[in-house]
Structures are given as C-alpha cells and as structure tokens.
Amino acid sequence: MARLWPTGIFCMADPQEYWPHRLLHIPSMTSVVRQGSDTYLVDNCRQLIRKPPYSVLSYTWGRYEKRPRKPEHRRLKVHGIDWDIPPIDETHFTVEDFESVIEVLRCRHEFAWIDIACIHQEDNLLKLQEIGQQGKIFQRAESAFIWLCRTTTRSLDHHSKSLKSVSDLFLEEVDYNFFEGPQSVLEAKKRVSEARYRSQEYENQVAQTLDTAIAAITELTKDPYFTSLWTLQEAMYHQSALTLSSDGSLVIPHPLGFGNLQAACPRKDSTVIQQRIQSIMALMSGVGYDPSAAKISNPHQSRAAAQHRRASLDQDRIFATMSLYGLTTRAAKDSSLKDPYLYSLDELEYAFAATLNSVSPSLGQVFTHVTAPEIGQTWKITADAKIADDHQIWTTNWRRWKTHCNIKATEVGHASFSGEIKKHSWLRSSRNTELVL
C-alpha cells in the first residue's frame, strides 16, 4: 500500500492587517487579549487602547527550560494567562535579569510582545497560529530588541567596539548596518587616498583590526542566541533591532553590523587582508548570517540559513520559518486537525512544499536539488536545496509574481502541473500543458 502524505496542514495567512492576539502590558505585567481587530483592554485602568505602539523581544530560552517543572521553581510572574510560565535554568538567565530587560522595553513603550507571555505555551494549535503571524507581529513593532542573555555588559561593549572598528577603518562615516549593508561603498573608498590603500603600514593596520574582529566574533557568537533557530528568523523579521547585554544595562546597535566586508575591502589584491575577510565571512555564515548579502529578505535563503541553527524539536525547522513565506497552520477551531507536532519532519516538509506550490508555483520551483530526491518528488523543495546566485535578488520579489500555472500535490507523493510554461518572463513564447512531476 502506497504511503499517504498530508497536504492540508498549512494555509496562506490572512493578508489583511494583523495585530497580535496578546500584548504584555508592562506596568501591570498583564497579558492583554486583543478586542476586535486592533484594540486592547487594560483592566487596571479600565481603558481601551487602539493600535498601541509596542516593542518585541528576541531571545532564546527553550533549550534551558527546567524539566520536570516543580512548584518551587522561580519564574517570571505574568497575569491574565491560562498557562504556566516555563521556569528557566538560572545559569542561562535569572528572573531578575528578565525583569530588568523588560524594564528597558518599558522605556520605549508600555506594551511589548514577548513570546513567553503572549503565545500559548501549552496548546500547540493556538501556539502555531500565532507563530504563523510572527512576521507581521515583528514588522509592525515600533522597536525591537535582541537579548544576549549570556553576554555581559563588559563583554558586549568590548566586542562591539572591536567590530565597529572594522567599519570605521573601511567605511569611515558610512552607515554600517549588517542587514542593510554599507550605504555607499564607492563613496567611502573615495574618502581615503589611493596612497593609503597601497601602503604597507595601512595593510598591517587592517590586518590587525581584522584579527581583533575575528576574535570578537568568535567569542560573541558563543552566546546561545546565535545557535537558536527561532532567533534567526526573528532577526530577519525586524532588521533594525537593538542589542541588550545580559542584564539589560547596555543597549547598542546590532554587534555584527559592519556591512558587506567583501565589497568594502579597500585592497582586493591583498592576500593577507582577503584571508582574514574570508575567515570573518565563514564565521558569520556558520551561525546563519550571509555577510555577502546586501539584505536578507529571500525566504529560501533564510530557510537554508536555518540549517546552521539548533531546534529543540525537529518539527520546528518548518514551523520557525513558515511565516517567512506568509504561511501558517490551519485554524485551531478546525476539529478535524490533530496537533501539528504529531507529524514527522518529512511529513511537515511535504505539506509545506504542497502549500507553497499551491500559493506560489514559481517560488516553489526556484531551487536546485543538492542530493537526488526520491522518485516522483523532484518538485518538492528540501531544507538543503540551493538557489542560483542570479536568482537571489529576483526571488526577493516573489510576492509580486504573476501565476500562469498550478502545481497540486497529491496524498500519494506526486504533484501534477497544469497551465503555461514560460522559459523566461521576457519571452512571449509559451505553451499550455499538463504533466505529473
């Protein structure tokens, strides 16, 4: 008997404006449920607040939850919820540290979206529904913070200064945000004379600065934040997040914010400098960042980067990246659905690819297999699939594509194609066809 594959786990998220199902009201430490589409009732002041500005916090804790839970375990106190806040190993962060960080967020806005207080931690159907909207939640936030809960204020200050020196050396006054890339590399180079580029003294200075940066990145990325799968996609949702030290006493721009070093390098003919540049790029790629990309907004690129991160559960490799594609799990009110975590990873990958191809056949097919797929499943994108370099920017605009075909996956593991095949979008020649992939 042929194996039956699930195809109805995911669906397209509602494209309409979305406000979080819950927000944490920091002054009262109450998780407030949304009323209607965009309003929140704060009980302690009996006030309805419409479209409140809020902050989001990106941090990692799942691997450090204390199990089994015991009543005496200390945990963050949050009112207005019907689930237990998970207790966290205090070697990772303490309740006091967590409270200090939340107070930093309060300095920006009275409301914040923090997963442990705003996502149901015990009902997986409700949990995944909100996770499917996480992209919109982060993008709507007025401000975002990254919490490096194992990096002390002293260490973060030291490492950030070491890394900023790279930008100061290469780009001088040019904006050095990592996710956006240098604003104008050519203009930066014009500010430094050709004689300075060619001098041996300058080459030695650059090499020493890069050596310091390599040491800083090596130490900084030991923080568990840089190995978490969830924090990778959260950083991609809000690319201008500020970074907090372990106790929240230091707030700085993203510490890896020094742009495209390969493009910014003033001496491409210097083997000494290029070797160090490559070492930095390898370190950053090893934690899922692409230092050669001007901006990380390609969902395939983001999903491939997730291979460098750890997940508490295999299934999270799908759930943590689904909203990058505008997908979510089906509504929790559908009684026919079972807990999505009861599906295996390969079943979820199949269902994910089936939905992706039904929503955007072009995006679902712009990839190259690295390893030979099973017979009949060449159509299905996998976690290790690659995208050609000349498709990277093109794929970024996938939401604007027009669909000229349909790809429908079946429960027996195959997919059927119908519609037009166009070799290139700029060619008029096409043909109608139907086939099984």
Side-chain angles (χ1 to χ4, degrees):
M1 181 177 179
R3 178 179 181 178
L4 296 181
W5 293 88
T7 58
I9 301 174
F10 302 97
C11 64
M12 190 71 180
D14 188 344
Q16 301 301 315
E17 178 180 88
Y18 184 83
W19 281 81
H21 179 63
R22 287 177 176 268
L23 285 175
L24 178 65
H25 181 244
I26 299 176
S28 64
M29 286 302 290
T30 301
S31 181
V32 182
V33 178
R34 186 189 66 226
Q35 308 290 316
S37 61
D38 56 16
T39 305
Y40 300 83
L41 174 62
V42 181
D43 288 336
N44 67 332
C45 59
R46 297 184 179 180
Q47 182 181 6
L48 278 171
I49 302 178
R50 186 168 182 264
K51 296 185 176 182
Y54 64 90
S55 302
V56 290
L57 181 66
S58 176
Y59 66 115
T60 182
W61 60 270
R63 289 172 283 166
Y64 305 97
E65 180 183 350
K66 288 184 176 180
R67 294 180 181 276
R69 298 180 186 176
K70 297 179 180 179
E72 62 268 23
H73 286 159
R74 300 181 67 238
R75 62 199 78 191
L76 186 72
K77 293 182 179 179
V78 178
H79 307 292
I81 58 176
D82 59 354
W83 64 86
D84 289 334
I85 294 291
I88 308 301
D89 189 331
E90 294 190 350
T91 62
H92 187 53
F93 62 73
T94 66
V95 172
E96 289 75 18
D97 287 339
F98 206 169
E99 291 172 341
S100 296
V101 166
I102 292 174
E103 280 299 309
V104 174
L105 272 61
R106 184 182 180 179
C107 292
R108 291 296 181 96
H109 307 291
E110 288 193 346
F111 287 90
W113 189 90
I114 301 175
D115 60 355
I116 209 168
C118 299
I119 291 183
H120 206 294
Q121 298 298 313
E122 295 171 359
D123 186 320
N124 283 334
L125 288 174
L126 292 174
K127 174 182 178 180
L128 291 172
Q129 277 289 292
E130 193 71 349
I131 287 175
Q133 301 289 354
Q134 200 167 355
K136 294 180 181 179
I137 292 171
F138 269 68
Q139 290 163 1
R140 179 171 295 287
E142 292 286 333
S143 55
F145 295 87
I146 290 170
W147 181 22
L148 303 183
C149 53
R150 294 281 193 95
T151 302
T152 66
T153 295
R154 181 178 179 181
S155 294
L156 182 58
D157 182 55
H158 173 73
H159 296 327
S160 64
K161 288 177 179 177
S162 298
L163 296 174
K164 189 176 183 300
S165 66
V166 176
S167 302
D168 292 342
L169 190 63
F170 283 3
L171 304 179
E172 298 196 336
E173 299 176 357
V174 178
D175 182 14
Y176 65 96
N177 184 282
F178 165 71
F179 291 104
E180 298 293 341
Q183 299 301 305
S184 176
V185 174
L186 292 178
E187 290 181 10
K189 289 181 177 180
K190 290 178 181 178
R191 295 175 183 162
V192 187
S193 67
E194 287 295 325
R196 184 181 177 191
Y197 285 154
R198 294 170 182 168
S199 70
Q200 185 64 45
E201 180 181 354
Y202 180 64
E203 180 174 296
N204 293 339
Q205 181 185 2
V206 172
Q208 291 174 6
T209 300
L210 292 177
D211 284 339
T212 302
I214 289 171
I217 295 173
T218 300
E219 290 302 311
L220 186 65
T221 53
K222 290 179 180 179
D223 190 289
Y225 183 91
F226 295 101
T227 58
S228 167
L229 173 63
W230 292 100
T231 58
L232 175 65
Q233 49 96 22
E234 289 169 357
M236 293 173 181
Y237 290 142
H238 205 299
Q239 299 180 356
S240 59
L242 297 174
T243 303
L244 301 172
S245 59
S246 58
D247 61 0
S249 62
L250 179 64
V251 183
I252 62 169
H254 196 289
L256 297 184
F258 44 76
N260 186 340
L261 291 182
Q262 187 66 39
C265 179
R267 288 202 59 183
K268 297 186 182 300
D269 61 330
S270 169
T271 302
V272 172
I273 293 177
Q274 282 299 322
Q275 287 176 342
R276 287 163 171 79
I277 292 288
Q278 292 300 322
S279 295
I280 289 178
M281 295 178 71
L283 283 170
M284 293 175 65
S285 297
V287 294
Y289 289 159
D290 184 356
S292 65
K295 187 174 182 179
I296 301 177
S297 55
N298 179 323
H300 287 340
Q301 180 183 357
S302 303
R303 187 163 181 253
Q307 296 182 79
H308 299 280
R309 299 297 187 99
R310 298 177 187 174
S312 298
L313 299 171
D314 287 341
Q315 294 91 329
D316 286 337
R317 297 204 168 275
I318 297 295
F319 299 138
T321 56
M322 62 183 176
S323 68
L324 291 168
Y325 294 84
L327 302 181
T328 185
T329 53
R330 293 194 175 276
K333 63 184 179 181
D334 187 343
S335 59
S336 65
L337 291 178
K338 67 179 183 180
D339 184 338
Y341 278 97
L342 296 178
Y343 292 99
S344 65
L345 178 58
D346 60 342
E347 288 176 322
L348 290 174
E349 285 186 334
Y350 188 92
F352 170 82
T355 305
L356 178 60
N357 277 277
S358 69
V359 170
S360 178
S362 300
L363 182 63
Q365 294 302 305
V366 183
F367 67 91
T368 302
H369 284 295
V370 176
T371 57
E374 296 180 18
I375 296 176
Q377 294 196 17
T378 57
W379 62 274
K380 180 171 72 72
I381 189 171
T382 58
D384 61 350
K386 300 295 183 183
I387 305 175
D389 291 340
D390 57 349
H391 286 163
Q392 292 285 0
I393 298 177
W394 177 58
T395 313
T396 299
N397 300 317
W398 66 276
R399 294 179 188 275
R400 300 179 183 177
W401 293 351
K402 293 182 179 180
T403 300
H404 300 278
C405 64
N406 293 296
I407 297 178
K408 183 178 181 180
T410 67
E411 292 184 346
V412 295
H414 300 286
S416 59
F417 172 95
S418 62
E420 294 182 322
I421 296 178
K422 294 188 175 184
K423 185 175 181 181
H424 294 294
S425 60
W426 57 85
L427 294 179
R428 294 184 178 180
S429 59
S430 62
R431 60 189 176 93
N432 293 321
T433 187
E434 292 186 5
L435 62 132
V436 176
L437 302 175

